[in-house]
Amino acid sequence: MKDWRGLGRAPSGDELPPLRPARPAPGPWRAAAEIPLLLILAAVIAVVVKTFLAQAFFIPSASMEPQLTAGDRVVVSRVAYGLHEPRRGDIAVFDDPLQVDVPDDSFVVVRLGRDALEALGLVEPGGKELIKRVIALEGETIYGRDGRVYVDDRLLIEPYLDDEVVTSDFGPYTVPPDHVFMMGDNRTNSKDSRVFDAIPVDSIVGRAIGRVWPPGRIAFL
């Protein structure tokens, strides 16, 4: 006779054998050996995501106050500028043009761990990247006069600035092809294109799309 599951009924008192042999529980040494492998796998995944999709970026200074303050974390999309060109008002992360590229002689595991922690926004970046706002695009002429910014002789309206912010005089400067002019919102405390000129578009790491830390300041950018 068959029961409802299609199994032959065993004689009374007998038990069906398990479907597959039970695996012995891993010993403490084996479990301990698996932990480093899991950590390495997690680090590799974090670095892959950082390289191709998005990363958390630690705000290292006050140059973007009041919208971003030192210690904030933002999510940076690496694919945004594959979908559209940089736009005025975007907040973007880019390679610091004044940073000297020094070879990293640390061990591969150390570099991997540091990159993973940077990707998660748990440690400050190594000073190789900056975060500023796109102010002028290629072919535009920008200058600062009487505390305000002008693009192609038109006053730039900047609602993201504090009311008391005053921009020092600079320019005029015409943005070269395939470049953008970047400025920090905290104009008196920002190293930006007024110092190192416009930056190449291909030096942009990605666009900041959201502030994710601290919890009380979570917001889209």
Side-chain angles (χ1 to χ4, degrees):
M1 180 180 294
K2 301 280 186 179
D3 67 9
W4 65 272
R5 293 169 297 181
L7 300 175
R9 290 187 176 178
S12 177
D14 290 347
E15 295 183 356
L16 291 174
L19 295 179
R20 58 176 61 88
R23 298 178 62 183
W29 291 109
R30 179 178 174 183
E34 289 178 350
I35 292 176
L37 295 178
L38 293 174
L39 292 176
I40 292 174
L41 178 61
V44 169
I45 292 173
V47 172
V48 169
V49 171
K50 171 186 174 182
T51 302
F52 297 105
L53 297 176
Q55 74 176 96
F57 185 81
F58 186 100
I59 304 301
S61 71
S63 69
M64 286 297 293
E65 289 183 346
Q67 189 152 40
L68 299 174
T69 60
D72 285 354
R73 273 76 160 178
V74 299
V75 173
V76 177
S77 169
R78 286 184 170 269
V79 300
Y81 293 134
L83 303 175
H84 62 82
E85 295 296 321
R87 298 175 293 205
R88 194 184 338 275
D90 287 354
I91 297 176
V93 173
F94 57 96
D95 297 329
D96 185 348
L98 300 181
Q99 177 73 32
V100 178
D101 191 10
V102 179
D104 190 345
D105 296 328
S106 57
F107 292 110
V108 173
V109 174
V110 174
R111 294 200 302 270
L112 185 64
R114 184 172 60 246
D115 286 347
L117 292 175
E118 287 186 10
L120 297 172
L122 299 179
V123 299
E124 296 187 32
K128 298 179 182 179
E129 296 168 343
L130 300 175
I131 183 166
K132 309 291 178 187
R133 192 181 297 274
V134 178
I135 300 297
L137 309 175
E138 64 175 3
E140 296 180 334
T141 298
I142 183 172
Y143 59 89
R145 290 292 182 273
D146 302 322
R148 307 295 295 273
V149 173
Y150 294 81
V151 176
D152 289 343
D153 294 325
R154 291 179 295 177
L155 176 65
L156 179 63
I157 305 301
E158 301 186 89
Y160 40 80
L161 299 182
D162 272 343
D163 293 338
E164 64 271 16
V165 168
V166 175
T167 304
S168 59
D169 290 355
F170 69 93
Y173 177 86
T174 300
V175 182
D178 300 319
H179 284 63
V180 288
F181 196 94
M182 311 292 294
M183 295 178 69
D185 292 352
N186 189 358
R187 297 289 159 79
T188 59
N189 187 20
S190 176
K191 179 183 69 174
D192 50 39
S193 289
R194 292 171 294 173
V195 176
F196 45 70
D197 294 336
I199 64 163
V201 171
D202 61 12
S203 72
I204 297 178
V205 174
R207 176 190 170 195
I209 58 176
R211 184 175 56 226
V212 296
W213 188 267
R217 285 169 47 79
I218 294 175
F220 290 107
L221 298 174

